[in-house]
Amino acid sequence: GQQVMQIPQYQHVQEGEDFTTYCNSSTTLSNIQWYKQRPGGHPVFLIQLVKSGEVKKQKRLTFQFGEAKKNSSLHITATQTTDVGTYFCAGRASGSARQLTFGSGTQLTVLP
Amino acid sequence: KAGVTQTPRYLIKTRGQQVTLSCSPISGHRSVSWYQQTPGQGLQFLFEYFSETQRNKGNFPGRFSGRQFSNSRSEMNVSTLELGDSALYLCASSPQFERTGELFFGEGSRLTVL
């Protein structure tokens, strides 16, 4: 079945440093989504990428979808303490309306 | 607009018991998905319902079952509970069953099996 792998599992950064998490799928994706889960909270949708090579920005967050539509990344510039949480990618296999498969997440800790 | 509502929020069961969790999607949303979240395992897909029909199912044993009602509310049931079933069970809704579109998650039901 479809597998979505995400690295790193944990990342500690000093406030102001950059952060990147990577997501790789075993199959080609029709789209990829990113979610953020704050400690004790539930996942909240951040963005969806659909096109090959697509790059989207949300303030300090930059999202990329690979040319082959099998990988993606999330980059945060100049992290803040409010960025703390677990970031999940989630992909839906192309070709049919299959379920959204989540990566294992990257837990970000920002040290003040 | 009210969000996704899950009940109960917390529950404690013992091995061998069964449990039923409930999910009320956002008004107008017809697709409901269920996920199991355990530390270090991310979100594992359980099943997805649309128009009272199970459209997709994850790799969980038959002890895990679900259903959706005509008002789009959904329930999931776990029978013969095992210690490893302790987890946060998340329900998510979306307007339609489709290839794109974000999921709106509820706060989850935290199940502890003793």
Side-chain angles (χ1 to χ4, degrees), chain A residues 3-87:
Chain A
Q3 289 187 331
V4 178
M5 292 142 288
Q6 200 172 343
I7 57 169
Q9 188 174 359
Y10 303 96
Q11 184 77 61
H12 292 201
V13 299
Q14 288 291 141
E15 189 172 15
E17 291 183 337
D18 292 356
F19 159 77
T20 304
T21 173
Y22 301 91
C23 183
N24 287 283
S25 171
S26 58
T27 59
T28 303
L29 301 171
S30 62
N31 63 77
I32 194 156
Q33 300 178 1
W34 286 90
Y35 291 78
K36 176 183 179 181
Q37 185 174 24
R38 295 183 185 275
H42 59 278
V44 175
F45 175 81
L46 292 176
I47 206 161
Q48 176 173 273
L49 304 171
V50 179
K51 299 178 183 177
S52 168
E54 188 170 15
V55 178
K56 286 189 175 181
K57 292 189 176 183
Q58 287 181 349
K59 297 182 180 178
R60 296 178 294 104
L61 278 62
T62 301
F63 304 84
Q64 291 188 313
F65 199 11
E67 294 290 341
K69 301 185 76 173
K70 295 183 73 174
N71 58 2
S72 181
S73 65
L74 157 59
H75 179 83
I76 302 179
T77 303
T79 54
Q80 300 175 358
T81 54
T82 54
D83 295 326
V84 165
T86 301
Y87 292 84

Side-chain angles (χ1 to χ4, degrees), chain B residues 63-83:
Chain B
R63 300 186 296 107
F64 292 79
S65 63
R67 58 178 175 169
Q68 186 180 35
F69 302 96
S70 58
N71 61 358
S72 296
R73 189 177 70 85
S74 178
E75 287 181 348
M76 67 163 283
N77 183 275
V78 188
S79 63
T80 319
L81 284 166
E82 301 177 359
L83 295 179

Side-chain angles (χ1 to χ4, degrees), chain A residues 1 9-10 30-31 33 35 37 40-45 48 50 88 92 95-105, chain B residues 9 35 37 40-45 48 55-59 88 90 97-108:
Chain A
Q9 188 174 359
Y10 303 96
S30 62
N31 63 77
Q33 300 178 1
Y35 291 78
Q37 185 174 24
H42 59 278
V44 175
F45 175 81
Q48 176 173 273
V50 179
F88 293 97
R92 199 182 294 273
S96 67
R98 297 179 185 166
Q99 71 267 18
L100 203 58
T101 299
F102 280 76
S104 55
Chain B
R9 290 291 313 279
Y35 289 84
Q37 185 174 30
Q41 293 297 313
L43 283 77
Q44 302 294 313
F45 174 76
E48 182 173 14
R55 302 293 178 144
N56 288 305
K57 188 176 190 304
N59 295 322
L88 179 66
L90 291 161
F97 176 67
E98 57 185 4
R99 300 178 190 183
T100 62
E102 69 180 278
L103 297 183
F104 296 82
F105 283 88
E107 298 287 346

Side-chain angles (χ1 to χ4, degrees), chain B:
Chain B
K1 202 176 203 181
V4 178
T5 304
Q6 290 188 246
T7 57
R9 290 291 313 279
Y10 303 91
L11 65 167
I12 300 173
K13 294 285 186 178
T14 56
R15 280 183 298 173
Q17 287 187 311
Q18 74 165 13
V19 66
T20 299
L21 309 177
S22 179
C23 172
S24 293
I26 291 173
S27 178
H29 285 196
R30 298 171 60 195
S31 178
V32 173
S33 302
W34 288 89
Y35 289 84
Q36 181 196 64
Q37 185 174 30
T38 53
Q41 293 297 313
L43 283 77
Q44 302 294 313
F45 174 76
L46 283 157
F47 15 70
E48 182 173 14
Y49 287 89
F50 178 74
S51 292
E52 301 177 67
T53 301
Q54 186 179 92
R55 302 293 178 144
N56 288 305
K57 188 176 190 304
N59 295 322
F60 278 82
R63 300 186 296 107
F64 292 79
S65 63
R67 58 178 175 169
Q68 186 180 35
F69 302 96
S70 58
N71 61 358
S72 296
R73 189 177 70 85
S74 178
E75 287 181 348
M76 67 163 283
N77 183 275
V78 188
S79 63
T80 319
L81 284 166
E82 301 177 359
L83 295 179
D85 296 333
S86 295
L88 179 66
Y89 290 88
L90 291 161
C91 165
S93 75
S94 59
Q96 296 288 341
F97 176 67
E98 57 185 4
R99 300 178 190 183
T100 62
E102 69 180 278
L103 297 183
F104 296 82
F105 283 88
E107 298 287 346
S109 292
R110 185 167 295 281
L111 170 65
T112 302
V113 182
L114 302 176

